[in-house]
Amino acid sequence: MKDSLVTIFGGGGFLGRQVAQALMARGARVRIAQRDLASAVKVKALGNLGQSQFVAADIRKPVTVERAIHGSDIVINLVGILSGDFDGFHRDGAANVAQAAKAAGVKALVHISAIGADADSPSAYGRSKAAGEEAVKAAFPGATIVRPSIIFGLEDQFLNRFAQIISAAPVIPVIGGATKFQPVYVADVAQAIANAAEQPGVFGGKTFEVAGPQVMSMKEINGWIAKAIGRDRPLVDVPHGFASLLALLPGGPITRDQLAMLDRDNVAAPGSEGLAALGVDATPLTAVAGRWMVRYRRHGRFAGRVSA
């Protein structure tokens, strides 16, 4: 990887910064390509002087994609949205990146999809992710496709979002309480992506479902968070009909598409290759998340200490 130029679409985000750091630690140069470059400035501090560069790009616009990829050795597409123009970003954008990477002769392409990508998914998100995978395979057959489960970490919008709700609510409302997840640690996903990018001869043309070692229901996850932040309160299942009404509210706690996603478990398929195949040991959520959950305790990290 030393001195290779890796263009990372969406490299300034939660996962992208971890991927950039993993690559720079291996001696690569990274080019961060995304629409809002202001959110990518944190990447500069993660590497050495001159190891990072930035370019504005929108994967829905082929000209900007081609410009971002020019001169690259490796391309990684991390772009994903939870609401809005799913087909534009997940299908058309993925196709634009793969086609430009092929035309530029890059030696490796890593495309980040999601567990649950399925042409028959009840959610537009899942269907668009599946369409994106097919577009990538058609344009760049040697691409590595990585499908993560829900990703957690210090700056995630998963554990932190629930912790904020739990810390303020007298009871804990749970939507889709029985739905199962396999939360995967952001640093593990980043290392897996870096390994795939570094060894296209080993991992190219394959699909990996990367998930953590623990299968937990939505209700179990909320219960663990509540205990971790010292707010052990009653968990109340939100009926599906009421959740459907909440999904209709502008700015509500859940969208209709996200509610549809809860109709299926978000776990790795039996027999699928995952983190281990990519050379990464999976980190349990319960082994690390408590480190940053302390900030949601009533007295922060000092909660539970005995005063002198």
Side-chain angles (χ1 to χ4, degrees):
M1 293 291 284
K2 186 170 177 58
D3 295 326
S4 294
L5 176 59
V6 185
T7 292
I8 311 174
F9 288 92
F14 164 59
L15 173 59
R17 291 192 295 273
Q18 292 276 341
V19 172
Q21 186 171 24
L23 291 168
M24 289 190 288
R26 303 179 190 207
R29 294 174 294 132
V30 300
R31 176 184 289 159
I32 306 301
Q34 63 185 65
R35 289 177 296 159
D36 179 17
L37 289 179
S39 63
V41 293
K42 292 181 181 179
V43 174
K44 270 192 173 294
L46 303 178
N48 296 322
L49 184 64
Q51 209 174 1
S52 60
Q53 52 186 264
F54 305 85
V55 59
D58 184 332
I59 64 172
R60 296 170 298 178
K61 300 176 180 179
V63 173
T64 69
V65 172
E66 292 165 9
R67 182 176 64 239
I69 288 176
H70 180 73
S72 300
D73 300 296
I74 298 166
V75 173
I76 298 172
N77 180 19
L78 303 175
V79 176
I81 59 173
L82 292 176
S83 63
D85 185 10
F86 289 126
D87 285 336
F89 286 101
H90 296 164
R91 183 192 64 196
D92 302 338
N96 290 337
V97 171
Q99 290 164 5
K102 186 68 174 179
V106 305
K107 65 182 181 181
L109 169 64
V110 183
H111 174 74
I112 310 309
S113 183
I115 286 180
D118 186 343
D120 296 320
S121 173
S123 72
Y125 174 90
R127 294 191 298 273
S128 66
K129 281 291 190 179
E133 289 185 10
E134 292 306 311
V136 169
K137 291 175 185 176
F140 200 116
T144 303
I145 293 176
V146 177
R147 295 176 167 180
S149 183
I150 295 292
I151 301 176
F152 71 90
L154 175 63
E155 299 176 311
D156 69 35
Q157 292 299 312
F158 178 56
L159 298 184
N160 287 303
R161 182 184 179 192
F162 289 130
Q164 289 170 348
I165 294 171
I166 292 169
S167 64
V171 297
I172 305 169
V174 183
I175 299 174
T179 304
K180 293 182 173 60
F181 297 86
Q182 248 179 301
V184 61
Y185 189 33
V186 64
D188 293 346
V189 179
Q191 290 298 330
I193 291 170
N195 289 347
E198 189 171 21
Q199 302 178 70
V202 177
F203 303 117
K206 298 181 180 180
T207 297
F208 298 88
E209 298 208 340
V210 297
Q214 297 168 293
V215 175
M216 305 172 73
S217 70
M218 180 67 81
K219 198 166 188 176
E220 289 171 335
I221 292 170
N222 276 268
W224 181 85
I225 295 172
K227 186 174 181 180
I229 66 175
R231 308 293 181 94
D232 204 357
R233 293 169 178 168
L235 281 77
V236 178
D237 287 304
V238 177
H240 189 274
F242 185 65
S244 298
L245 292 176
L246 292 176
L248 296 174
L249 298 174
I254 193 168
T255 67
R256 283 182 291 179
D257 202 69
Q258 289 168 346
L259 186 60
M261 290 167 63
L262 292 175
D263 285 342
R264 293 186 179 182
D265 292 335
N266 192 266
V267 299
S272 61
E273 291 189 296
L275 286 176
L278 286 163
V280 178
D281 293 326
T283 303
L285 179 152
T286 53
V288 294
R291 299 174 190 170
W292 61 85
M293 287 288 102
V294 294
R295 57 185 161 179
Y296 297 103
R297 294 177 185 170
R298 192 176 301 280
H299 300 292
R301 65 181 63 255
F302 301 104
R305 294 190 177 185
V306 178
S307 57

